[in-house]
Amino acid sequence: MTVRGLSLDELTAAVAARSAGRLHAEVDGAGSVRITGFAPLAAAGLGDLSFLVNPRYRSDAKVSRAGAIVLTPADRDALRASGQCPPLIVTDEPYAWYAYAVQALRPPNDLVAGVAPSADIGTGAIIDSSARIDAHASIGAGATVGARAWVGAGAVLGAGAALGEGARLHPRAVVLDGCRVGRRSIVHSGAVIGADGFGFAPLDGQWIKIPQVGNVVIGDDVEIGANTTIDRGSMDDTVIEDGAKLDNQIQVAHNCVIGAHTAIAGCVGMAGSTRIGRHCQIGGAAMFAGHLVVADHCVIGGGTLVARSIETPGHYTGSFPMMKNGEWQRVAATLRQLDALRDRVRRLEAGGGGDQA
Amino acid sequence: MTVRGLSLDELTAAVAARSAGRLHAEVDGAGSVRITGFAPLAAAGLGDLSFLVNPRYRSDAKVSRAGAIVLTPADRDALRASGQCPPLIVTDEPYAWYAYAVQALRPPNDLVAGVAPSADIGTGAIIDSSARIDAHASIGAGATVGARAWVGAGAVLGAGAALGEGARLHPRAVVLDGCRVGRRSIVHSGAVIGADGFGFAPLDGQWIKIPQVGNVVIGDDVEIGANTTIDRGSMDDTVIEDGAKLDNQIQVAHNCVIGAHTAIAGCVGMAGSTRIGRHCQIGGAAMFAGHLVVADHCVIGGGTLVARSIETPGHYTGSFPMMKNGEWQRVAATLRQLDALRDRVRRLEAGGGGDQA
Amino acid sequence: MTVRGLSLDELTAAVAARSAGRLHAEVDGAGSVRITGFAPLAAAGLGDLSFLVNPRYRSDAKVSRAGAIVLTPADRDALRASGQCPPLIVTDEPYAWYAYAVQALRPPNDLVAGVAPSADIGTGAIIDSSARIDAHASIGAGATVGARAWVGAGAVLGAGAALGEGARLHPRAVVLDGCRVGRRSIVHSGAVIGADGFGFAPLDGQWIKIPQVGNVVIGDDVEIGANTTIDRGSMDDTVIEDGAKLDNQIQVAHNCVIGAHTAIAGCVGMAGSTRIGRHCQIGGAAMFAGHLVVADHCVIGGGTLVARSIETPGHYTGSFPMMKNGEWQRVAATLRQLDALRDRVRRLEAGGGGDQA
């Protein structure tokens, strides 16, 4: 896609500024080359910025027609050695540099402030004059919408809920009564923040509903993916700390706490009162039983069922390996007898003969 | 959070009434203490009601500053023995008692009856005069909305669909054409009731769509979680019986039947024509192949893949245990050879030497 | 349910026409029998069409009161041999024949063309005069809606997005800016097409957002289930090829490609840049790690975690078998020691005695 252009020199300055000076890069080639778009190495053409981070794409880099490539010093040396190449932007953090470059070249659309005539605004709601409320949105009584915040088409902000400065509810996102979304946080379409937690007490074979009176509190710079659900707390609040990133179709039950800067891939589920530490990385479709604590800096493999607390940072996994179906049928049948197999080995070790086949 | 207050004596009477006399409690302490909110044992303060059910929170109870604690006679004795404590509400069913107490202290907001001007009401729809229809809701032609029912902002009730007395569609919930929701049932935001079942017939490498002509029929006192989907039947209806409780992000395919008073945790999936019995408890992310029958009173562990019918009530599980990643890699590699390992044990039992390493 | 009626002879002609002559059938019985509805074999009555495909329903067929049954020549012979039976429609492809018969008897509601007064239409949007836009729908600036297309109540078509001829967005479906939906494709309620991919670069323990500048491109005759999410590409597009069918609650991450005529059951998740071949069948809740390639004509069992590419067509599985909970506890405990167990077998094979219990 085409964007407004910046020269490599302008882009390097823009990234340094956006990263508050944390990212420096050296342009190895003509700094006047103009970047107007982005593309993967294999598809890039004149004017496109591309990046090399994953070693499996090195061969693509060698033949890329990109306008410029962001990469590490080591990859620069390898690429230069292999022959002619486009201008290179050399940095220790090429992926983060690329992220800021895209932000610089393609900032979110400027908001035209204002409230669409078809939006429904409840009594006593306070909407900053620089905010934007789109068609068919519903803002509940007493809700607040901060400066430069955006409520997309048909999104809902419940009664007494709060949307922070620069935060964004994409079309059809729902933030229910009393919940709070921090500054610059993004809630994608179809996400539901603050539905009732799943709280019922058993009595005589029936389930008695426990009204859920907590809220959901989402910190600053959080991102919540499409169709993800985060339930309100039963008594306390459910909390998503600053900088956490949640992908699509994640289920966070009542009273969970997700630590700051933790990233959670799609389809993860979390039962009630689970506390995930800070700086964790949770693979897709991992599932957490309730009332657990997971330490900071844990990495959980995709599809893992976490049924107990994890007290030590580390990389944890639990998934059945994929096999050809016939092989799997044999292995699965044997697995059912694994306990018996161990007993047979014990008997052999004790010097006994086999009595089973 | 703060609610309108009741004294412990008033609360005890209210719970007895709400439970139709099934729940009795004795106030051990000053029955005049006023309850104005709820909090977990560790966070509770003056005026907060708290409960003790899970033994792991006994130590919290000993130092809790709660206004009152609901607990069993055994826990009361233990707590009294450990020293001074707040007024105690003693009952054999503390969790159910707590549930009714919260209901008594915090009934759902009174509905102000009426139809929002921006709601879209189809021809021939019949809306009870005590019902409430919020902004941007859509009520299809010929649909019916019962007494004291609520259709939240932007929710959809399709043509010919029916919403029972006191039932609630939360904001953005969707109940499509011809589907029925029973009395007092709740459909949370983002849930979709009555989308087409996944029905296609293969022909020459393509898929021919089978129009789905059944409906979804939801009984009384059912709860359907946020972003849960329940597909319409292909010919027959898909049925959710009275009192069943479904958490968020559950997928129920066409022609399933979920038995009365069964509780299903989040992220569960169910392929077509599966019949779950009554009074079952299904753990999160359990998955059911199609055309199965599960007996009444079954408990299914989280993450279990149910690939065959279950004829006997019991507790069933099937999930790979979590390990440190390095350990998992070794175990998973060995698992692939499990069949061969069993054969090696057989050879040893038969007196043969080993020929493999 | 009751539909406008057709005689068996009329129906046979209609199916031949709809299938472009691919499906022929012989009516074994009175061709003048009138079909006015559909029902499963066990529930069918006078006027209902039913079908027999799955052998487990043969006994139902023998006592069915259906108006007519579609089946194979072999099943016809078996049924005739068992005694009196209703008119039979005999074809080599009974399920596909049934699919077309339902289409013929119950075509989708005729669209009454027009734009609802409460719909929000952006500047420069082009809406074909034969299309229908329902209440509270939002059509973004510069979007296009093709002939006979339908945008349901509260659905969103973003700026510059395109909805092809005869395509349908069900109520509350969301197709975001710049995404394209092909001809006759169907997007069910709550689906979100084109939310941001989950793209962040790590820097100093935080996550820097990478703006996602690709789109989603959906081919012709595709079906996307309720609450399914398909993210926009990071640079390139995410692509769903012609004739692919996706069930509910599926998550497709940025830059995935799903091949033509592949069918994917509910709750499947797919990490970024995964490429699924054509004519694959993916079981429910299967999960795919990113940057994989799956060959054409693969069958993946439900619940399988696909962590590596699959280069050879075949049937692949990886799921833990379900057990009684006590049995599972023993097997799971032993599984953790599987590596050690193999070592013990090795020692026995080497002639060594056992030193472990």
Side-chain angles (χ1 to χ4, degrees):
Chain A
M1 80 157 282
T2 302
V3 296
R4 72 192 169 84
L6 290 175
S7 74
L8 290 180
D9 288 338
E10 290 166 339
L11 202 51
T12 303
V15 170
R18 282 192 169 253
S19 69
R22 288 184 295 177
L23 285 180
H24 297 282
E26 176 195 336
V27 179
D28 183 348
S32 60
V33 162
R34 198 148 201 88
I35 294 300
T36 55
F38 320 97
L41 290 159
L46 194 71
D48 284 334
L49 180 68
S50 202
F51 64 86
L52 173 57
V53 172
N54 188 326
R56 81 169 74 185
Y57 294 111
R58 258 178 211 156
S59 56
D60 283 358
K62 287 182 185 164
V63 296
S64 178
R65 293 162 177 258
I69 301 175
V70 194
L71 38 51
T72 61
D75 278 328
R76 184 259 316 267
D77 295 345
L79 206 60
R80 282 278 173 237
S82 77
Q84 193 177 330
C85 57
L88 303 177
I89 297 162
V90 186
T91 170
D92 292 334
E93 298 281 0
Y95 200 40
W97 198 96
Y98 172 80
Y100 281 119
V102 182
Q103 290 183 12
L105 277 152
R106 192 177 188 263
N109 296 331
D110 290 333
L111 287 180
V112 179
V115 176
S118 64
D120 183 70
I121 312 295
T123 312
I126 300 175
I127 298 172
D128 190 276
S129 63
S130 62
R132 177 186 173 100
I133 314 291
D134 278 347
H136 311 124
S138 296
I139 309 293
T144 60
V145 177
R148 295 174 306 285
W150 174 53
V151 179
V156 173
L157 186 67
L163 187 61
E165 199 180 304
R168 293 176 165 239
L169 300 190
H170 282 252
R172 308 282 171 228
V174 173
V175 175
L176 291 160
D177 297 4
C179 297
R180 300 197 289 283
V181 176
R183 291 173 294 175
R184 299 172 301 279
S185 290
I186 298 171
V187 182
H188 284 287
S189 294
V192 176
I193 312 300
D196 281 354
F198 196 62
F200 301 92
L203 182 67
D204 300 339
Q206 301 187 3
W207 298 101
I208 312 304
K209 181 172 177 71
I210 301 170
Q212 304 285 300
V213 300
N215 290 309
V216 178
V217 177
I218 295 177
D220 296 340
D221 301 301
V222 168
E223 193 155 339
I224 306 292
N227 283 353
T228 281
T229 50
I230 304 177
D231 279 352
R232 65 176 59 244
S234 51
M235 295 190 282
D236 276 347
D237 294 332
T238 304
V239 177
I240 314 292
E241 295 183 356
D242 293 349
K245 309 293 183 187
L246 278 68
D247 197 359
N248 297 353
Q249 304 221 25
I250 290 168
Q251 153 66 356
V252 179
H254 49 189
N255 301 108
C256 287
V257 177
I258 295 179
H261 308 296
T262 279
I264 305 183
C267 305
V268 164
M270 218 170 274
S273 299
T274 284
R275 301 178 68 95
I276 307 289
R278 298 175 167 220
H279 300 288
C280 292
Q281 295 182 44
I282 314 291
M287 293 288 156
F288 294 77
H291 295 273
L292 302 181
V293 177
V294 173
D296 295 348
H297 294 285
C298 282
V299 176
I300 309 290
T304 299
L305 180 70
V306 182
R308 56 178 173 81
S309 288
I310 300 179
E311 286 157 23
T312 313
H315 183 175
Y316 297 85
T317 310
S319 55
F320 203 102
M322 182 181 72
M323 306 172 187
K324 290 203 169 183
N325 190 62
E327 184 187 359
W328 170 79
Q329 287 180 323
R330 289 189 302 272
V331 168
T334 310
L335 184 62
R336 291 173 187 282
Q337 309 159 6
L338 187 58
D339 204 39
L341 187 67
R342 188 200 49 193
D343 291 344
R344 288 157 65 184
V345 171
R346 280 183 184 162
R347 271 194 297 273
L348 287 164
E349 288 170 336
D355 54 16
Q356 300 187 43
Chain B
M1 77 158 283
T2 302
V3 294
R4 71 189 171 87
L6 291 176
S7 73
L8 290 180
D9 288 338
E10 288 166 338
L11 202 51
T12 303
V15 170
R18 284 193 167 251
S19 69
R22 289 186 295 177
L23 285 180
H24 298 283
E26 174 196 336
V27 179
D28 183 348
S32 60
V33 163
R34 199 152 201 83
I35 296 299
T36 54
F38 319 98
L41 290 160
L46 194 69
D48 283 334
L49 180 68
S50 202
F51 65 86
L52 173 57
V53 173
N54 189 326
R56 82 169 73 185
Y57 293 111
R58 260 180 209 154
S59 55
D60 283 358
K62 288 183 185 163
V63 296
S64 178
R65 295 163 175 257
I69 302 176
V70 194
L71 38 52
T72 60
D75 278 328
R76 183 256 321 261
D77 295 346
L79 207 59
R80 281 278 173 236
S82 76
Q84 192 178 333
C85 57
L88 304 177
I89 297 163
V90 186
T91 170
D92 291 335
E93 297 281 0
Y95 201 39
W97 198 95
Y98 173 79
Y100 280 119
V102 183
Q103 290 182 12
L105 277 153
R106 192 178 187 264
N109 295 331
D110 289 333
L111 287 180
V112 179
V115 177
S118 65
D120 184 70
I121 312 296
T123 312
I126 299 175
I127 298 172
D128 190 276
S129 62
S130 62
R132 177 185 171 100
I133 313 291
D134 278 346
H136 310 124
S138 295
I139 310 293
T144 59
V145 178
R148 295 174 305 284
W150 173 54
V151 179
V156 173
L157 186 68
L163 187 62
E165 199 180 304
R168 294 177 165 240
L169 300 189
H170 281 252
R172 308 284 171 228
V174 173
V175 174
L176 292 160
D177 297 4
C179 297
R180 299 197 289 284
V181 176
R183 292 174 293 174
R184 298 173 302 278
S185 289
I186 298 172
V187 181
H188 284 286
S189 294
V192 176
I193 311 300
D196 281 355
F198 196 62
F200 300 92
L203 182 67
D204 300 341
Q206 302 188 2
W207 297 101
I208 313 303
K209 182 174 177 70
I210 301 170
Q212 304 287 298
V213 300
N215 289 310
V216 177
V217 178
I218 294 177
D220 295 340
D221 301 302
V222 168
E223 193 155 337
I224 306 292
N227 283 352
T228 281
T229 51
I230 304 177
D231 280 352
R232 65 177 57 244
S234 52
M235 296 190 282
D236 275 347
D237 295 331
T238 304
V239 177
I240 315 293
E241 295 183 356
D242 292 349
K245 310 294 183 187
L246 279 68
D247 197 1
N248 296 352
Q249 305 222 24
I250 290 168
Q251 152 67 359
V252 179
H254 49 189
N255 301 108
C256 287
V257 177
I258 295 178
H261 309 296
T262 279
I264 306 184
C267 304
V268 163
M270 220 170 274
S273 298
T274 284
R275 300 178 71 93
I276 307 289
R278 298 174 166 219
H279 300 289
C280 292
Q281 296 184 42
I282 315 291
M287 294 287 157
F288 295 76
H291 295 271
L292 302 181
V293 177
V294 174
D296 295 348
H297 294 286
C298 282
V299 175
I300 309 289
T304 299
L305 180 68
V306 182
R308 56 178 173 80
S309 288
I310 299 178
E311 286 156 25
T312 314
H315 183 175
Y316 298 84
T317 311
S319 56
F320 203 101
M322 183 182 73
M323 305 172 187
K324 289 204 168 182
N325 190 62
E327 184 188 0
W328 170 79
Q329 286 180 322
R330 290 190 301 273
V331 168
T334 310
L335 184 62
R336 292 173 187 282
Q337 308 158 9
L338 186 59
D339 203 38
L341 186 67
R342 187 199 49 192
D343 291 344
R344 288 158 66 184
V345 171
R346 281 183 184 160
R347 270 193 298 273
L348 286 164
E349 288 171 334
D355 56 17
Q356 300 186 44
Chain C
M1 80 158 280
T2 302
V3 297
R4 71 190 170 86
L6 290 176
S7 74
L8 290 181
D9 288 339
E10 288 166 339
L11 201 51
T12 304
V15 170
R18 283 192 170 253
S19 70
R22 288 185 295 176
L23 285 180
H24 297 283
E26 175 197 334
V27 179
D28 184 346
S32 60
V33 163
R34 197 147 203 89
I35 295 299
T36 54
F38 319 97
L41 290 160
L46 193 72
D48 284 333
L49 181 68
S50 202
F51 64 87
L52 173 57
V53 173
N54 189 326
R56 82 169 73 185
Y57 294 110
R58 260 180 211 156
S59 56
D60 283 358
K62 287 181 186 165
V63 296
S64 179
R65 294 161 176 258
I69 302 175
V70 194
L71 38 51
T72 61
D75 278 327
R76 184 257 318 264
D77 295 346
L79 207 59
R80 282 277 174 236
S82 76
Q84 191 178 330
C85 57
L88 304 177
I89 298 162
V90 186
T91 169
D92 292 334
E93 298 282 0
Y95 200 39
W97 197 95
Y98 172 79
Y100 281 120
V102 183
Q103 291 182 11
L105 277 153
R106 193 179 189 262
N109 296 331
D110 289 333
L111 287 180
V112 178
V115 176
S118 64
D120 184 71
I121 312 295
T123 313
I126 299 175
I127 298 171
D128 190 276
S129 63
S130 62
R132 177 185 173 101
I133 314 291
D134 278 347
H136 311 125
S138 296
I139 309 293
T144 60
V145 177
R148 295 174 305 284
W150 174 54
V151 179
V156 173
L157 186 68
L163 188 62
E165 199 179 304
R168 292 175 166 240
L169 301 190
H170 282 252
R172 309 282 172 230
V174 173
V175 174
L176 292 159
D177 296 4
C179 297
R180 298 197 289 284
V181 176
R183 292 173 294 176
R184 299 173 301 278
S185 290
I186 298 172
V187 181
H188 284 286
S189 293
V192 177
I193 311 300
D196 282 354
F198 196 62
F200 301 91
L203 182 66
D204 300 340
Q206 302 187 1
W207 298 101
I208 312 302
K209 182 174 178 69
I210 302 169
Q212 304 287 300
V213 300
N215 290 310
V216 177
V217 178
I218 295 176
D220 296 340
D221 301 302
V222 168
E223 193 154 337
I224 306 291
N227 283 352
T228 280
T229 51
I230 304 177
D231 279 351
R232 63 177 58 245
S234 52
M235 296 191 281
D236 276 348
D237 294 332
T238 303
V239 177
I240 314 293
E241 295 182 356
D242 293 350
K245 309 294 182 188
L246 278 68
D247 196 359
N248 296 353
Q249 305 222 24
I250 291 168
Q251 151 67 357
V252 179
H254 49 190
N255 301 108
C256 287
V257 177
I258 296 178
H261 309 297
T262 279
I264 305 183
C267 306
V268 164
M270 219 171 272
S273 298
T274 284
R275 301 178 69 94
I276 307 289
R278 298 173 166 220
H279 301 289
C280 292
Q281 295 183 41
I282 314 291
M287 294 287 156
F288 294 77
H291 294 272
L292 303 180
V293 177
V294 174
D296 295 349
H297 295 285
C298 282
V299 175
I300 309 289
T304 299
L305 180 69
V306 182
R308 56 178 175 79
S309 288
I310 300 178
E311 286 157 24
T312 313
H315 184 174
Y316 298 85
T317 310
S319 55
F320 202 101
M322 182 182 73
M323 305 172 189
K324 290 204 168 180
N325 190 62
E327 184 187 359
W328 170 79
Q329 286 180 325
R330 289 190 301 273
V331 168
T334 311
L335 184 62
R336 292 173 187 281
Q337 309 159 7
L338 185 59
D339 203 40
L341 186 67
R342 188 199 50 195
D343 291 344
R344 287 158 66 185
V345 171
R346 281 183 183 161
R347 271 193 299 272
L348 287 165
E349 287 170 336
D355 54 19
Q356 301 187 42

